[in-house]
């Protein structure tokens, strides 16, 4: 009978893991819709293709090599049982949950380089990022390995519960490197350096994408408790759900008030970014704050994202069509730094060390990789292709072929 | 025959169509267009960046009529397309040009009878 | 070992609650898409902003004050553990599940007042509705408190399983008050009193919204069993899922046949309303009917909604762009009244008393609040702003900026 | 205490079944969006109505008669407890899970006959298909009944885990019969027999639909393990999730590479079909392959679908607007035949026998039914109605009424 | 030179383009328009309310040609744009007006050679 | 008065509008159109079937001006609408026709003053 009980705990944890993983997988649809809504219609089919393709590449590369690099278990998962042999859940469910995180990190990149990058150059980047770059830093953080034999982040007081840094800031770092190598979209900046708005084509899609991400984030953060079948873990998961939701709400409200004060209008795109910022901000530590604290952490994320998007766009001339670098990078960092405020086991210095390590590694390797891709196959479509939209040159079809453009 | 081209505000379309029907006009071709003119565009926001929309949504009506209907049609459009009694900037314009021939595809009829 | 078993029950119930809550949260996306599909494109960005904003406001106000008012537990959830101390689930999971119900009630209002209301007047209403108006009637019903010390609804034989009345009819009552104060959209009624159709811009979005709501409703009704970890409750939850689905199907089929008979065409908008009507109808008592009875309860909802929308629109000149008052109010009442047909513990008189109490309270307080808002800040945009669409004046952007309008 | 444990197992299995069923129900939204994206805008409202309607009809007919025919339990589920009396889950949860499969099979048909079929002729077909045709073959396969007293498929070594054949190929067989009776769309084929492309109107919707289906498929395959509450079944469900995802990824990558090689462009519509093909391919046996094998099974599905769509379209002149016959039929067959490669208990001969039985039954009865409907009420709209779009004649409204066409 | 403006049914666009190509016309500008005319609009439903759509989808073709091509073009359009042999109401119209000058932006060429 | 109709590439719209503003043109009506001409369409793919898109996206500008502005406007458009210094096939055309009358709806003004 005791055995039955243990089996049932195993079943509960596995079931929980799978449901949370399915929610995170759903975030792939969220990123697709968000990005498809925020680009111009002439670049929409391409960004959809990119999102479907990157999800498939992430799943396959992480299966072949990345999971082994991060957690062991052998190439092509041949020894996957070994990894989870003492776990309270089925080994495949751990892989399933982890793999959707890789895809999330990769999705962050796709938005920032939208409307001008060559599709297959992006896919080439995705292969290396999901097979090597992400798994390496994942091994240092979530698997506790030492960073090139130098130091162990966990020992320094670093903690990133569900990945504000490990997933989101990492994705943003790769995106930033990509945008720097790629340059701004044609027509984004005027000769005098001023910046033009390039409105996305479809706000309902962007809103749908945000709601999908909001929902999927319950899996992202909730699943990161990694266990459900005890009172303690059930309480933890419940608190994580509550706080994840509260932080998103805080991000929305803060962004809403701020844009109303700044420009007198409720700029929907910023409100959506506020929701995502709230979610990114709480991700590093959704278990320790109270509901009110979570709301405030999210709200600060919402404020940060409004300023960050403007500063990156206008001051630094970094052209990020969907605001991914601000939402996931700047706010991801804020999320890491907010953890010590509510979690006494975590140190600011550790968070800074972790953020630095992740950023340097991901940004550095990504920069080299983007530059190499630029040299070898080129990463940017021609000017004319960009004017006509990348859909036709890359996908050979139009997203809304019937509508007049 | 004459071709009248009127640019009006989109939400006035039904009123203008009714006014034209009343004076017996039975053919109109309408197009959604964007107009740039004295009417100041509005400012839009996008992710915190303000920008001006110069081209405002308008509807263009093309109406082929016989020469003797011109005045009646102009006055029907003028009165029905005004935003209010004084009119507002952007209420639109009517252009008149000459129309040499008309053919009704179905019957092959030409001239006024084909209108 | 017994302890382990109790912990596992706790884990199962908590997990179940969280999954059901995530499904209900997903309904926020459903309302957004439904409403965004049923308004004109020039009012689409605003309704999206409204839906994202109201969800955030609901979550925050209910956290700060509403939950305490309804169930106790202290302002800002500071004593939340107390509320659920004997519960078989984690306290935060209860809050998480309850809070998404508040947002649902509020979402009902947003559709009915679409295309003409000032955004921030709506948000002001939302703050009071989610912080006070809804929690008060929630306390009288689900928390069994006496209505101003006068009577206890439960004692009168009132029962509303998942909220046909408490959530849906309440939302509709607030919406009705709002529409009466606000008036019809410009151009909706002709001088002779006849009504014009104002078609919504995007049927795929409206359909997507309906499917999202249909899916989310499994959480709404299924979660309202409040327990899963026993044979009895598992059977109950399963029956609720089955009946919820059956009622939605019944609503679709009834509306489909009826519109075909009445107008010779399968009016999609009415078919979608039929599905929602089926769902609202079964919500007050999804546990007691057989599958066939549930189908019929839903079907009657589907019939009612077709007539109700027409009568409200043409006879009473109540301009409700999405049909929310009919779907949630009229059919919500039907749902309440249908309970005694299959549940012998519930009395018609009790249902009438409950419906009356909820309606009088919510309609009355909402009316006062709308009138106050009208007097203080104004609740309606100017005529010209309405003609040009509220998107530009309220949000400063367009939902489909590239498309010709 | 032992009783408590058994109850908890019951609760876990029921809960699992319901969650999986909700995911499969969600596939209805996926098919709707996919099909709405792949037809022209003038036929969009009708296909949405068709999808909502067929789901409702499937649920109702299967409740009234189909479930009894397939598994017993009585008309209108009156004896449903009997069916699942020894089951480890609540009887209604079994029905709930099974019923969404019927709807899936029916959804496959709707896409293939799009843009030209009479809506109510389709619904008439749906009534018989979901009430009789599908339940009959379901009884032979999943319920192990003998095929007209002749042979028992299970004894021949046939196995179809989650329904590559029983659901997908069956749907495709009905669709094929429909398309043959119905004929191609006007303008699809030129006088010289060459085929014209008729692009779908909305690629973001088609992509969203694909992601929804991908997510829902976790329920489709994962739920088909039929149990969760033991280590063995938890492991099985986890492996099924992993492999389902891997196969979809394999299908995407294979289709992507293939279209790039064949046409130099990443044709999004084929990439989406690749994802679905991967999912269909793995459905017959997602439990036995390794992750790599699953990826390859999916990849072969992705390759097959690209060729199949072209061959059906150009060589056989079968006009299937969404590619349903290729995705679900051709690849469904591949899925069945792939099972013996990784599962020694299954025989090729058995798979062929099963595929043949399903196909002959479904195709044959469907053909008779389509011909009968054609004779009695007509199944095709008039030429002029087809030119103007079926939305106006069948639904009386337009999907995007504001857009110029 | 003349400017021909033809209003046709949308699904006839390919046929008309082919007919024009055959007689050597190599330039057309097409616009999606809504037409109001003798062809009765249809009734639509929306949430149970019936209403009439007066403006039906049409395509407008603008074709600049030299004066001597007018008859050939009219007959090419007329025969290819008809719904059937007798023609149906709503098949459309052809308007002919005078065109004073044409400039090809790329080369600056003017007159017939720029067509 | 004259009516100029220019067909240009969509992404040139802002440049052309700026060029026109500079020479004092204050009224333009723009329409999204599809153009068929010497510029070869591109091939698209759909579920593995290749097909040619003949009608390419263009923008049509209608500009009513007084006769003496014609040359200035043509040269402003010509120089701003070219893809590059040599021009590319498909850069577009300018059509000039006669305009008999203009009415400003708001004021009832007619003639040049109404432009
Ligand atoms: N010179 C012109 N040529 C072509 N279209 C014009 C011209 N002037 C105005 N229009 C059109 O008429 C519309 C209204 O003109 P505008 O100058 O804004 O106000 P008003 O109608 O009061 O003069 C413009 O949006 C534009 O579409
Ligand atoms: N007088 C007119 N002026 C402008 N457009 C017209 C006129 N008469 C008809 N049209 C256009 O031609 C289309 C077809 O005309 P209609 O009267 O319906 O049938 P028919 O072509 O058989 O005469 C209309 O939809 C409208 O777009
Ligand atoms: N004869 C014509 N009549 C009407 N429109 C024309 C004509 N010729 C060209 N156009 C328009 O001008 C656009 C550009 O013409 P095209 O022949 O492609 O190149 P170019 O401008 O270099 O001559 C076409 O897409 C079409 O919209």
């Amino acid at each position: 009978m005791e055995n039955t009980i243990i089996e049932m705990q195993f079943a509960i944890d596995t079931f929980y893991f799978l449901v949370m993983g399915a929610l995170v997988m759903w975030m792939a649809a969220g990123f697709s819709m968000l990005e498809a809504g925020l680009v111009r219609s002439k670049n929409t089919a391409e960004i959809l293709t990119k999102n479907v393709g990157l999800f498939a590449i992430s799943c396959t590369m992480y299966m072949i090599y990345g999971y082994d690099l991060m957690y062991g278990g052998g190439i092509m998962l041949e020894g996957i049982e070994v990894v989870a042999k003492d776990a309270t859940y089925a080994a495949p469910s751990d892989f399933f949950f982890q793999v959707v995180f890789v895809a999330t990190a990769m999705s962050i990149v796709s938005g920032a380089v939208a409307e001008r990058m060559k599709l297959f150059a992006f896919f080439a980047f995705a292969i290396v990022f999901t097979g090597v770059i992400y798994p390496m830093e994942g091994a240092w953080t979530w698997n506790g390995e030492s960073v090139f034999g130098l130091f162990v982040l966990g020992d320094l007081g670093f903690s990133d519960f569900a990945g504000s840094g490990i997933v989101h800031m990492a994705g943003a770092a790769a995106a930033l490197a990509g945008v720097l190598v790629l340059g701004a979209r044609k027509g984004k900046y005027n000769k005098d350096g001023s910046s033009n708005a390039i409105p996305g084509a479809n706000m309902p899609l962007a809103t749908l994408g945000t709601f999908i991400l909001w929902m999927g984030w319950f899996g992202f953060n909730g699943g990161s408790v990694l266990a459900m079948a005890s009172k303690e873990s059930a309480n933890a998961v419940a608190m994580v759900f509550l706080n994840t939701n509260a932080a998103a709400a805080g991000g929305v409200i803060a962004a809403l008030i701020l844009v109303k004060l700044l420009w007198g209008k409720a700029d929907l795109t910023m409100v959506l970014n506020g929701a995502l910022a709230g979610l990114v901000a709480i991700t590093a530590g959704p278990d320790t704050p109270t509901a009110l604290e979570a709301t405030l952490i999210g709200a600060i994320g919402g404020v940060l994202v409004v300023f960050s998007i403007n500063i990156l766009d206008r001051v630094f001339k970094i052209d990020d069509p969907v605001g991914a670098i601000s939402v996931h990078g700047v706010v991801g960092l804020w999320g890491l730094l907010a953890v010590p405020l509510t979690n006494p086991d975590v140190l600011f210095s550790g968070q800074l060390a972790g953020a630095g390590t992740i950023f340097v590694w991901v940004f550095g390797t990504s920069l080299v990789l983007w530059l190499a891709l630029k040299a070898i196959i080129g990463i940017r479509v021609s000017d004319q292709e960009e004017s006509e939209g990348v859909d036709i040159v890359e996908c050979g079809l139009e997203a809304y072929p019937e509508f007049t453009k | 025959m004459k071709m009248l081209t009127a640019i009006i505000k989109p939400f006035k379309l039904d009123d203008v169509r009714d006014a034209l029907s009343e004076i017996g006009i039975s053919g109109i071709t309408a197009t959604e267009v964007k107009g740039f003119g004295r009417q100041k565009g509005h400012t839009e926001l996008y992710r915190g960046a303000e920008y001006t929309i110069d081209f405002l949504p308008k509807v263009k009506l093309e109406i082929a009529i016989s020469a003797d209907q011109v005045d009646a049609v102009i006055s029907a459009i003028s009165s029905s397309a005004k935003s209010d009694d004084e009119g507002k900037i952007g209420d639109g314009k009517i252009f008149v040009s000459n129309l040499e021939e008309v053919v009704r595809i179905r019957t092959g009829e030409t001239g006024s009878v084909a209108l």
Side-chain angles (χ1 to χ4, degrees), chain B residues 2 5-8 31-38 52 54-55 58 60 62 74 77-79 81-82 85-98:
Chain B
K2 300 289 166 186
T5 303
I7 313 288
I8 61 169
T31 314
E32 293 172 326
V33 298
K34 299 273 184 177
F36 173 81
R38 270 167 197 74
T52 309
D54 300 316
F55 282 97
K58 301 278 171 191
K60 178 170 88 174
E62 288 166 301
I74 288 180
I77 297 178
S78 295
S79 53
K82 270 191 197 164
D85 283 354
E86 290 106 67
K88 282 231 177 90
I89 292 197
D91 279 349
K93 303 234 188 299
I94 306 171
F95 302 111
V96 185
S97 56
N98 193 45

Side-chain angles (χ1 to χ4, degrees), chain B residues 4 23-26 64-75 115:
Chain B
L4 259 65
I23 60 165
I25 296 300
S26 62
I65 47 176
S66 59
D68 54 1
Q69 293 174 299
V70 171
D71 291 344
V73 172
I74 288 180
S75 81
L115 287 176

Side-chain angles (χ1 to χ4, degrees), chain A residues 62 93 132 151 217 277 317:
Chain A
Y62 198 66
S93 67
V132 181
F151 53 91
W217 228 288
K317 315 271 178 246

Side-chain angles (χ1 to χ4, degrees), chain A residues 89-131:
Chain A
Y89 41 75
S93 67
D94 182 58
F95 174 78
F96 180 71
F97 185 69
Q98 299 289 342
V99 74
V100 285
F101 275 62
V102 190
T104 299
M106 198 59 225
S107 293
I108 293 166
V109 186
S110 77
V113 299
E115 304 205 300
R116 57 213 192 275
M117 183 176 273
K118 282 189 182 173
L119 183 60
F120 280 80
F122 178 84
F123 286 151
F125 182 86
I127 290 172
V128 183
F129 182 84
T130 62

Side-chain angles (χ1 to χ4, degrees), chain A residues 1-2 4-6 8-9 12 15-17 19-20 23 26 39-42 199-205 207-208 210-212 214-215 218 228-232 234-235 237-239 241-242 245-246 248-250 252-253 256-257 260 264-269 271-272 275 290-292 295 400 403-405:
Chain A
M1 205 166 77
E2 189 162 339
T4 317
I5 293 181
I6 293 176
M8 263 164 55
Q9 288 178 316
I12 293 172
F15 180 28
Y16 146 81
F17 236 9
V19 172
M20 297 298 121
L23 286 175
W26 184 222
V39 299
R40 285 165 290 178
S41 57
K42 65 183 176 180
N202 197 321
M203 290 304 119
L205 280 190
T207 307
L208 175 65
T210 303
F211 272 119
I212 294 175
W214 191 326
M215 187 200 204
F218 295 124
M228 174 52 106
S230 70
K231 188 155 189 170
E232 195 194 333
N235 271 321
V237 177
M239 197 64 209
F241 266 66
L242 196 167
N245 195 51
V252 166
I253 293 174
L256 191 57
I257 294 175
K260 183 75 182 176
K265 313 233 160 141
D267 179 345
L268 172 61
T269 56
V271 173
L272 300 179
T290 64
L292 184 69
T295 306
Y400 309 101
F403 302 162
T404 53
K405 264 179 307 204

